[in-house]
Amino acid sequence: MKNLLSMEHLSTDEIYDLVTTASQYKSGERALPQFNDTYVTNLFFENSTRTKCSFEVAELKLGLKQVSFETSTSSVKKGESLYDTCKTLESIGVNLLVIRHSQNAYYEELENINIPIANAGDGSGQHPTQSLLDIMTIYEEYGSFDGLNVLICGDIKNSRVARSNYHSLRALGANVMFSSPEEWVDETLEAPYVNIDDVIDQVDIVMLLRVQHERHGIAGEANFAAEEYHQQYGLTQSRYDKLKDEAIVMHPAPVNRGVEIKSDLVEAPKSRIFKQMENGMYLRMAVISALLK
């Protein structure tokens, strides 16, 4: 695997290989490789807690040396392009780039970069490591994807998580449905849109998405009716109580408690939200290992 840019670039075999490796790291069945004298830079042009920190921990556990980068103190402030920033880091000996950027498919401009790139999120495009850790979490639960009913609720149009999981879960054999306000429908994705209350008792996984105020603009946040959204599209207590016994609840986080999900349900028995975060570190170790082979 030369780069990890999009879930559409991965075969199902590659997905299973990454998930299997991550699971073996987690169980201790496989020893962690150590990449001595190997350098990585995490270029995060958007804010992040889970993705950035789990990549950092994964890198340290694998013995990588981190070359720090902050947009506020870099030549980006002087107008340097993303390509020139990456080419500079390649030229001085960095071996791996982890990039989050607000531009969709930013990586298309980086074809002449000769070191591996891990996409940590591009605008509202793709978030492959989030999708992979979601797949790992589901696989731990069910051991298969064939015929699983997955309901993804919320801001579909602006969600790279929805897009990545739509492609990957369908390829693995799951049935994917969306529930969303009309203004956040993504017509480029061909999954059916449903009323959450019509299917909540039939789904195996309900995946809630964060309302992305930063992609709607300040006015959108000011005019947003949180309680109304929660009642129409969120996981309320009554909806949680209707879930099948073996169903699980997921969320890529950060969570707007009381909006996408009732606060008390974030750590309810069916919730796997913090399990997703734990799996993310192991999955990102697997990705790094595959890129640096």
Side-chain angles (χ1 to χ4, degrees), residues 89-148:
L89 292 164
E90 176 193 326
S91 299
I92 64 175
V94 170
N95 305 103
L96 170 66
L97 300 174
V98 178
I99 306 175
R100 169 172 287 190
H101 202 281
S102 60
Q103 179 181 326
N104 283 14
Y106 66 79
Y107 43 80
E108 292 178 354
E109 301 176 7
L110 305 179
E111 290 183 359
N112 291 329
I113 300 300
N114 299 309
I115 56 176
I117 295 170
N119 180 12
D122 61 291
S124 58
Q126 291 269 344
H127 196 347
T129 58
Q130 178 67 48
S131 182
L132 287 164
L133 72 88
D134 291 344
I135 289 168
M136 177 181 175
T137 303
I138 294 169
Y139 193 67
E140 283 184 337
E141 209 68 35
Y142 294 101
S144 174
F145 300 91
D146 289 337
L148 288 179

Side-chain angles (χ1 to χ4, degrees), residues 39-42 65-69 89 92 94:
Y39 296 86
V40 59
T41 298
N42 300 301
K65 295 180 174 66
Q66 295 170 341
V67 177
S68 63
F69 175 86
L89 292 164
I92 64 175
V94 170

Side-chain angles (χ1 to χ4, degrees), residues 15 56 63 97 102 106 112 138 142 150 158 187 217 239 244 268 280:
I15 291 172
E56 289 175 344
L97 300 174
S102 60
Y106 66 79
N112 291 329
I138 294 169
Y142 294 101
V150 182
N158 295 289
E187 296 179 354
R239 289 182 180 129
K244 296 192 291 187

Side-chain angles (χ1 to χ4, degrees), residues 109-241:
E109 301 176 7
L110 305 179
E111 290 183 359
N112 291 329
I113 300 300
N114 299 309
I115 56 176
I117 295 170
N119 180 12
D122 61 291
S124 58
Q126 291 269 344
H127 196 347
T129 58
Q130 178 67 48
S131 182
L132 287 164
L133 72 88
D134 291 344
I135 289 168
M136 177 181 175
T137 303
I138 294 169
Y139 193 67
E140 283 184 337
E141 209 68 35
Y142 294 101
S144 174
F145 300 91
D146 289 337
L148 288 179
N149 293 315
V150 182
L151 175 64
I152 304 179
C153 300
D155 192 354
I156 308 297
K157 184 176 182 179
N158 295 289
S159 175
R160 52 197 170 208
V161 175
R163 188 165 292 101
S164 295
N165 280 337
Y166 164 80
H167 290 294
S168 56
L169 290 171
R170 276 170 46 108
L172 291 165
N175 304 312
V176 179
M177 301 170 282
F178 293 144
S179 181
S180 171
E182 185 175 351
E183 61 269 27
W184 294 341
V185 166
D186 187 339
E187 296 179 354
T188 68
L189 304 178
E190 296 181 355
Y193 280 80
V194 298
N195 184 310
I196 185 173
D197 291 311
D198 291 342
V199 299
I200 194 66
D201 60 344
Q202 304 164 37
V203 298
D204 301 293
I205 298 106
V206 56
M207 186 177 295
L208 307 157
L209 302 174
R210 180 177 66 88
V211 176
Q212 300 189 46
H213 294 300
E214 72 275 14
R215 303 197 195 282
H216 306 148
I218 295 174
E221 184 172 2
N223 297 328
F224 182 71
E227 179 57 30
E228 181 180 345
Y229 178 89
H230 180 64
Q231 292 303 322
Q232 291 188 23
Y233 301 100
L235 189 65
T236 61
Q237 185 67 56
S238 63
R239 289 182 180 129
Y240 179 89
D241 292 341

